[in-house]
Amino acid sequence: MQKTPDLVVNDREELIYLLTEAAEFEHTVMCSYLYAQWSLKRSMDEGVTEQELEAIDHWRGLMLSVSMEEMLHLALVNNLLAAIGAAPHLSRPDFPVGAGKFPADVDFHLAPFSQTSVDHFVFLERPEEIDIEDGRGFVHESHYPRITCTDLLTPTPREYGSQGHLYHGIAQGIRRLADKLGEHALFSGHGEAQLSPDEVPLPGLFTVTNVDSAMQAIEEIVSQGEGAPAHRDDSHYARFAAIRDEFAALRAARPDFEPAFPAAVNPVLTEFTETDNVVRVNNPVARILVDLGNSVYGLMVHALAQVCAPAPLPAGLRQGLSDASSELMRLMTVIGEACVRVPICDEKPGINAGLTFALPRSFGQLVQANAAQILAERAEELAAPARELESRLPGVADRLGVVAENLRQLHRDFEQHFELVVSTPVADESSGDSGEDELPASFCELDSINQASTDEMVLDFNPKRCIHSRQCVLNAPQVFLANVEGPWLHPENDSVEHLVHVAMSCPSGAITYQRKDGGDEEPAPQINYIFIRENGPYAVGATLDIDGQPAMYRATLCRCGQSKNKPFCDNSHIGAGFEASGEPPSRESEPLTERGGALHVKPLVDGPLWISGPVEICCGTGRTVDRTESAALCRCGASQNKPFCDGSHRKIGFKSE
């Protein structure tokens, strides 16, 4: 392999050009990996042995982790773009990728899992110093050169031999421009246009603000996969090489072993394409499935583009749009796996369909005053064909309906206020009208069976959060009357200060209060903590954001997988006989720079609890297990590495709903 020259970046436009190509590279390779992953078989009924299926499931998990890390790389590249003042770039060339879109040595196909596709993945992820051949069928017929015109002000394509080569050129360009323009001038973008771990549960994600964090982002990408040193056992290169070797061993034992469905190479849905090296989807059922999958993919990218809008957006709106994008990604998996099980056309017997990942031209950002409303409209439209395919796509239509409703709620909660800012006239101070809406009369109608008030405080009880720790009835039995009919909360029978203490002792957060006497409300915990209860739940204390629910300071979260009130504990672990130590071994960890602040808890669908924010994880006796700013905590009850997730939820078929 002939070494290509170093990439030289002379100005911001050239840097934006290279970062844009890097974003397209990451996006395109991620689609290639997903296509191959979705083609893998899932059952012994599909012509594989128990041992082979175990290997397939292992490969699926490895490929999923690589795909998620490619999503991380795409997010980091877009954060780099936003940091230097450019718009995010989520577009990419259609498959099959035509000549010239990338260097000739970089060929992208949509292909099912096979020996040649795995060889191709190893080639794509190879370190710069390793010279290997691409998989058979993944080499451009014409080894064209990309012509770089150094005499033009307009950026032109560059040659690079690997992703590591591309990113090293970007790193050199950032350093050079920081010296030329000044670091502050180069990093002129704002953080609100970047993706953060608060919104997207991707381990390793962070915002970029200066040269050091930019170099950290590039190092994360290169060392994790593209251009990683050959000795790294966890690099993408090493993972695909291990899959290749395991596949070869199983093929040697049984030469007719086929781990995947015969999905088409480069399927296309439309009648027009730049090349004839494609297979058109003509089977009526396959066309509907592929069209629906492409549309869900387009909606997912649309929502993610809105999260990255250059104009600052409210945190709640960004979080809601990100959640919608994540759910649409999960639905793509269901549809993608359904596509590869359907014949592609009558003319090609023995070949099945597959998602083509076609993006509409108009998938960019929408006018913010009605973006969520438009996305909701589209999600509702897609639910109709999904319902017609309910037998092939169980639950997808209902989940699209939930996405649509959540997006409509985002419009009501946030975007309608954007319209009011524009259209509401300034109040006439002489009339005494402040222009603010008055609170409804019912706002002060507080008392109910689980709420009582005095002149000094309001005491609230949330029965859905209670785990019956009995801190209340033991510490204030004259206030919390157990086993009575009718009113059972009597805050008039105790002092405000003592009831404040009782409320703050409730581990589940079921008891809360509001002061009416001018006293201090409950303070946020100074140190975020998670206590691991013996054979029981996680007891969490922090300024908690749990999947967009109203802010809280205390909660007990299920870790046995049996609760009917997920993510909260409902004591199901007792009846289930759940056994899990509250004293796991400690990990090596450094003291946190910040120990308090917001702690985001995102229950991943059919997966772990994703924690982002500074937190100290402690055993039941208080010993520190880990200090971290992000973690995936087991909530299926099956992990062999409790309290941390080890992927067992996939093996046992854990369902979070």
Side-chain angles (χ1 to χ4, degrees):
M1 181 173 63
Q2 184 178 2
K3 180 175 175 58
T4 49
D6 291 338
L7 304 179
V8 178
V9 176
N10 296 303
D11 52 48
R12 191 189 301 263
E13 281 298 315
E14 288 187 336
L15 180 58
I16 292 172
Y17 187 95
L18 287 181
L19 284 169
T20 297
E21 179 152 323
E24 292 188 3
F25 201 126
E26 301 293 354
H27 194 164
T28 305
V29 77
M30 178 179 66
C31 293
S32 299
Y33 294 161
L34 288 172
Y35 189 92
Q37 175 198 323
W38 292 340
S39 73
L40 288 169
K41 296 176 179 177
R42 283 191 172 271
S43 168
M44 291 172 60
D45 296 336
E46 294 165 344
V48 294
T49 67
E50 183 177 0
Q51 179 189 7
E52 290 166 349
L53 183 59
E54 184 177 347
I56 291 170
D57 288 340
H58 177 60
W59 300 340
R60 181 183 291 107
L62 289 177
M63 294 191 68
L64 176 60
S65 67
V66 170
S67 298
M68 293 299 293
E69 287 167 3
E70 293 297 345
M71 182 64 193
L72 167 65
H73 300 172
L74 177 60
L76 287 173
V77 171
N78 275 295
N79 283 357
L80 284 163
L81 279 166
I84 63 172
H89 188 79
L90 295 173
S91 182
R92 34 150 285 269
D94 282 339
F95 290 102
V97 178
K101 300 295 185 181
F102 298 106
D105 284 339
V106 179
D107 191 14
F108 287 116
H109 287 181
L110 291 178
F113 185 97
S114 67
Q115 179 180 340
T116 55
S117 60
V118 173
D119 286 343
H120 175 58
F121 298 156
V122 172
F123 176 82
L124 286 177
E125 301 286 4
R126 72 197 185 283
E128 280 192 87
E129 67 272 15
I130 291 184
D131 189 3
I132 57 177
E133 293 186 359
D134 201 349
R136 181 168 50 87
F138 286 90
V139 180
H140 282 296
E141 294 180 3
S142 172
H143 282 276
Y144 56 82
R146 300 180 93 192
I147 305 302
T148 300
C149 301
T150 57
D151 60 325
L152 298 179
L153 293 173
T154 304
T156 53
R158 304 296 185 88
E159 281 286 358
Y160 49 89
S162 66
Q163 287 201 61
H165 183 194
L166 170 61
Y167 280 111
H168 289 149
I170 290 171
Q172 292 173 8
I174 289 173
R175 292 193 183 97
R176 181 176 183 181
L177 291 181
D179 291 340
K180 176 182 176 180
L181 304 174
E183 186 174 35
H184 181 73
L186 176 61
F187 291 93
S188 56
H190 60 78
E192 289 85 350
Q194 298 189 40
L195 295 171
S196 75
D198 294 343
E199 300 146 352
V200 182
L202 288 172
L205 183 60
F206 54 87
T207 55
V208 176
T209 57
N210 53 26
V211 170
D212 286 345
S213 55
M215 294 304 107
Q216 182 185 349
I218 292 170
E219 179 63 23
E220 178 86 3
I221 296 169
V222 173
S223 65
Q224 197 170 65
E226 303 78 18
H231 63 272
R232 277 189 56 132
D233 293 336
D234 62 343
S235 69
H236 295 183
Y237 172 77
R239 276 179 264 183
F240 280 128
I243 292 174
R244 177 194 60 195
D245 296 344
E246 292 173 12
F247 186 13
L250 288 171
R251 265 282 174 83
R254 186 166 76 92
D256 59 347
F257 168 47
E258 292 294 345
F261 288 95
V265 175
N266 293 326
V268 296
L269 192 62
T270 55
E271 297 301 321
F272 303 101
T273 181
E274 296 178 1
T275 176
D276 291 329
N277 185 27
V278 296
V279 183
R280 289 179 174 79
V281 183
N282 290 330
N283 179 302
V285 174
R287 284 183 66 82
I288 298 173
L289 278 169
V290 174
D291 185 30
L292 176 63
N294 287 346
S295 298
V296 170
Y297 166 61
L299 182 59
M300 182 272 291
V301 177
H302 235 323
L304 189 60
Q306 208 66 32
V307 179
C308 303
L313 300 177
L317 178 56
R318 286 166 59 89
Q319 181 66 64
L321 291 167
S322 176
D323 290 345
S325 181
S326 297
E327 172 65 354
L328 291 166
M329 182 69 209
R330 290 187 285 268
L331 292 178
M332 279 174 57
T333 296
V334 178
I335 302 171
E337 291 188 350
C339 288
V340 301
R341 287 162 167 77
V342 179
I344 193 167
C345 60
D346 294 338
E347 296 78 16
K348 300 285 185 179
I351 298 179
N352 290 357
L355 229 62
T356 69
F357 293 95
L359 275 175
R361 286 186 176 182
S362 56
F363 79 93
Q365 290 148 1
L366 301 165
V367 174
Q368 194 53 65
N370 58 3
Q373 181 183 25
I374 293 172
L375 296 175
E377 175 186 294
R378 182 59 169 164
E380 195 68 53
E381 290 170 354
L382 299 183
R387 204 167 300 284
E388 296 296 321
L389 295 166
E390 180 68 23
S391 61
R392 296 180 183 271
L393 305 174
V396 168
D398 290 341
R399 290 168 67 179
L400 282 168
V402 171
V403 170
E405 179 52 38
N406 290 343
L407 288 167
R408 281 193 291 268
Q409 189 61 49
L410 288 176
H411 176 68
R412 291 190 289 265
D413 291 345
F414 295 99
E415 293 178 345
Q416 286 183 339
H417 300 292
F418 297 157
E419 298 172 349
L420 290 173
V421 168
V422 175
S423 60
T424 302
V426 177
D428 183 357
E429 295 183 1
S430 62
S431 69
D433 183 2
S434 66
E436 297 180 357
D437 293 335
E438 294 183 2
L439 292 173
S442 61
F443 184 81
C444 295
E445 298 296 325
L446 298 174
D447 291 357
S448 69
I449 191 67
N450 291 317
Q451 187 180 77
S453 62
T454 67
D455 291 340
E456 298 173 306
M457 76 179 307
V458 178
L459 191 64
D460 276 284
F461 172 74
N462 184 339
K464 290 186 177 181
R465 299 267 301 280
C466 180
I467 61 166
H468 307 292
S469 69
R470 306 189 73 232
Q471 294 290 331
C472 54
V473 297
L474 294 176
N475 287 303
Q478 71 279 18
V479 175
F480 300 90
L481 307 184
N483 303 316
V484 298
E485 294 185 5
W488 67 284
L489 293 176
H490 293 275
E492 70 278 8
N493 292 337
D494 206 341
S495 70
V496 173
E497 297 303 328
H498 185 243
L499 288 179
V500 166
H501 168 74
V502 172
M504 292 174 60
S505 299
C506 175
S508 67
I511 299 173
T512 55
Y513 65 90
Q514 293 175 282
R515 300 288 291 260
K516 298 168 66 176
D517 60 355
D520 294 334
E521 299 294 346
E522 179 175 352
Q526 295 183 23
I527 300 175
N528 297 343
Y529 63 82
I530 298 176
F531 278 99
I532 306 164
R533 299 304 187 196
E534 184 78 15
N535 302 329
Y538 302 111
V540 189
T543 304
L544 282 165
D545 170 21
I546 301 180
D547 206 23
Q549 299 195 38
M552 58 192 81
Y553 290 148
R554 290 162 282 117
T556 48
L557 304 179
C558 173
R559 74 173 178 128
C560 71
Q562 304 298 314
S563 174
K564 302 301 187 295
N565 188 35
K566 296 182 184 73
F568 301 104
C569 172
D570 67 355
N571 281 331
S572 290
H573 56 276
I574 299 173
F578 176 64
E579 294 184 358
S581 174
E583 299 285 333
S586 296
R587 293 181 168 186
E588 289 189 12
S589 60
E590 297 295 328
L592 298 168
T593 303
E594 298 292 337
R595 304 176 72 187
L599 184 66
H600 302 277
V601 179
K602 189 174 185 62
L604 302 185
V605 173
D606 301 339
L609 293 170
W610 176 254
I611 310 294
S612 60
V615 66
E616 297 194 17
I617 302 174
C618 305
C619 64
T621 55
R623 172 175 49 82
T624 299
V625 174
D626 197 11
R627 306 177 186 91
T628 184
E629 293 189 356
S630 63
L633 300 183
C634 173
R635 66 168 179 147
C636 72
S639 172
Q640 300 302 304
N641 188 35
K642 297 183 184 72
F644 305 102
C645 173
D646 68 353
S648 292
H649 54 277
R650 291 191 290 268
K651 295 180 182 178
I652 68 171
F654 172 67
K655 297 296 181 184
S656 56
E657 299 301 331

